[in-house]
Amino acid sequence: MKSIAQGKINIGLLIPYKREDGLHEIRSVFVPISFGDPMEIQIMPLSPGQKPSFQLVSENYLHGYRYEKFEEVSERGELSRNILHKAFQKLATYLREPIAISIHLQKYLPPEGGIGGGSSNAGFFLKEIFPWTHLSKEEQIPLAKSIGADVPFFLQSSPCYVTGIGEVLEPISVAQGSGILAIPPFGLSTSAMYTGLQKSLQKPYGSEVWKSLAEDLIRSLQVGDWAYLQNRLENEFEKIAFQTQPLLKELKLGFYESGAVYASLSGSGSCFYGIYPSDRERDEALRIVSDRFPDMEFRTFSF
């Protein structure tokens, strides 16, 4: 099976409280995007009694420190730390028959980017291997969650309203869109970002914005009314990100000045994106932001 392990963007992200298990509750809309990692998975049944096997062949197209970060967990580094290898190990005991798995991965999704990265790869891998296991649909989500909080989303194929720690998914409709993704030459530590929010243990509470999601906000997402959403669906991590990396605040302003109708940090960062009214306007804006931020890597995407 050869396809694209898609990345994702967050449209709005609220962290209402810290849970008793030490994790954080979230409210967000996850949207899969066209930018991702090409992956080819080959599966070969083995003879009874043979042990399942795993092979990864990767091409690293990342830049800067992220290149080295991926190399550390690739087949050229410590493979046991690789998320695909971890997923294989978790699945091995559930296989209906022994199989040999060979993966060819072209790595473009940046780690520490907030757009899926390894979680996307793991979700794509699980979707292809689940049919070879005894796991029921109900058992697949907990296993995916045990690999990473975002992994269950990448078992889906549509945008979702996301709650819990990222594993409670409600598919929703989002209008088609065109965007520019900025990949800064620096990352933002997820743990440091959560610490910066200083969320205390408390009982769940609702935000008026998110309570109304099923009404006005969902309708706006369905028709692509980004002007309405612009100041209503915000990423709570932005206030920490702007303090940590002021360049990101300039980048958001740059997206809007180049014609974006919505711009936001994705996840806990550091990737930032802008959404534009059309492919033509997006492509024109790409030239503008590329000139304004020459040290930034930019990718176009659609959804």
Side-chain angles (χ1 to χ4, degrees):
M1 176 65 186
K2 185 176 183 179
S3 190
I4 300 290
Q6 293 177 284
K8 60 87 177 166
I9 56 172
N10 292 75
I11 301 178
L13 177 55
L14 172 74
I15 300 88
Y17 63 95
K18 186 176 182 180
R19 299 160 25 140
E20 292 183 359
D21 61 9
L23 301 174
H24 289 78
E25 189 79 9
I26 72 168
R27 306 282 184 269
S28 187
V29 173
F30 285 13
V31 178
I33 59 175
S34 57
F35 175 57
D37 292 336
M39 284 181 68
E40 182 176 0
I41 300 177
Q42 294 182 342
I43 303 171
M44 183 174 71
L46 299 174
S47 301
Q50 289 187 281
K51 290 185 178 180
S53 66
F54 174 93
Q55 181 185 38
L56 173 64
V57 176
S58 63
E59 300 173 45
N60 188 348
Y61 292 100
L62 300 171
H63 299 106
Y65 84 96
R66 290 186 171 98
Y67 178 93
E68 296 299 333
K69 197 170 186 67
F70 177 74
E71 286 297 289
E72 292 173 0
V73 299
S74 74
E75 72 277 14
R76 296 172 291 276
E78 192 175 339
L79 186 60
S80 62
R81 294 170 53 203
N82 184 278
I83 194 170
L84 291 170
H85 188 263
K86 291 178 181 178
F88 166 73
Q89 289 183 311
K90 284 184 177 288
L91 283 178
T93 56
Y94 299 103
L95 292 171
R96 289 186 280 106
E97 59 182 294
I99 55 176
I101 299 170
S102 177
I103 301 173
H104 182 198
L105 169 67
Q106 294 173 276
K107 191 63 186 170
Y108 291 95
L109 291 172
E112 295 186 352
I115 60 171
S119 295
S120 170
N121 296 167
F124 181 87
F125 173 77
L126 292 177
K127 281 194 294 186
E128 299 308 313
I129 308 301
F130 275 150
W132 294 81
T133 71
H134 296 290
L135 292 167
S136 66
K137 291 287 186 182
E138 292 71 26
E139 295 169 320
Q140 291 172 6
I141 294 296
L143 186 138
K145 178 185 171 184
S146 73
I147 298 169
D150 288 350
V151 176
F153 169 71
F154 291 103
L155 301 178
Q156 317 298 315
S157 57
S158 69
C160 290
Y161 172 46
V162 181
T163 58
I165 63 169
E167 86 286 12
V168 183
L169 307 164
E170 178 186 339
I172 62 172
S173 174
V174 175
Q176 292 182 340
S178 300
I180 298 173
L181 181 74
I183 305 176
F186 51 81
L188 293 173
S189 164
T190 300
S191 60
M193 294 291 281
Y194 274 108
T195 299
L197 289 174
Q198 298 182 333
K199 295 291 180 175
S200 60
L201 287 170
Q202 52 190 286
K203 292 181 180 180
Y205 70 92
S207 156
E208 289 305 314
V209 168
W210 291 97
K211 279 181 180 178
S212 67
L213 184 67
E215 302 169 4
D216 293 344
L217 299 182
I218 278 189
R219 282 197 295 270
S220 297
L221 287 167
Q222 289 173 338
V223 299
D225 187 354
W226 300 105
Y228 177 82
L229 295 168
Q230 198 173 110
N231 297 312
R232 291 175 173 83
L233 279 183
E234 297 181 333
N235 185 333
E236 195 172 357
F237 280 121
E238 284 189 10
K239 58 187 177 185
I240 309 299
F242 292 163
Q243 294 171 5
T244 307
Q245 293 287 351
L247 179 63
L248 292 177
K249 189 172 185 178
E250 294 180 35
L251 180 62
K252 184 172 187 175
L253 179 62
F255 274 138
Y256 279 128
E257 289 181 347
S258 68
V261 289
Y262 187 89
S264 175
L265 186 74
S266 188
S268 58
S270 60
C271 288
F272 223 99
Y273 67 89
I275 295 174
Y276 293 82
S278 68
D279 289 353
R280 179 184 59 79
E281 290 163 288
R282 177 198 64 190
D283 294 343
E284 290 176 357
L286 179 61
R287 291 190 289 273
I288 296 171
V289 294
S290 296
D291 289 342
R292 182 168 175 177
F293 302 96
D295 296 329
M296 197 81 64
E297 178 184 355
F298 291 99
R299 299 276 183 172
T300 59
F301 66 88
S302 59
F303 57 87

